[in-house]
Amino acid sequence: MDTYNGWTNYATWRINLEIIDGMEPSDFIGYGCIEASELKNAIKEYVESTIEESTAEGIGREYALAFVSDVNWWAIAEHLIAQYEEEV
């Protein structure tokens, strides 16, 4: 699999850059013990909800949702956890 700017692929890099960058795990799951699987699911749900709320029904939304199907949600969750642990 090709990588892109140090990320699993272009979709993962782009979603992290455009939507997730600057956020912390607590923005998705609150404070306390951070589990990667819970964070991964919360990030995916957040991104999909953002797309659905900010786009009209139709082909544009469908393309956007298809694009995010290629995102490696684990990589973004692990990245957020690593950043959080560096700050603590």
Side-chain angles (χ1 to χ4, degrees), residues 20 24-26 28-30 32-45 72-85:
I20 306 301
E24 297 181 355
S26 61
F28 301 100
I29 59 172
C33 182
I34 301 170
E35 293 186 27
S37 62
E38 181 182 359
L39 181 58
K40 171 194 76 87
N41 293 335
I43 293 167
K44 182 177 188 266
E45 183 177 310
N72 181 341
W73 303 108
W74 282 107
I76 294 175
E78 290 170 353
H79 177 74
L80 283 179
I81 291 169
Q83 281 185 319
Y84 173 77
E85 289 175 346

Side-chain angles (χ1 to χ4, degrees), residues 5 7 13 15 18 23 26 28 35 40 56 58-60 62 71-72 77 79 85:
N5 285 341
W7 289 89
W13 169 79
I15 292 298
E18 302 274 339
M23 300 181 92
S26 61
F28 301 100
E35 293 186 27
K40 171 194 76 87
I59 195 164
E62 297 306 316
V71 171
N72 181 341
H79 177 74
E85 289 175 346

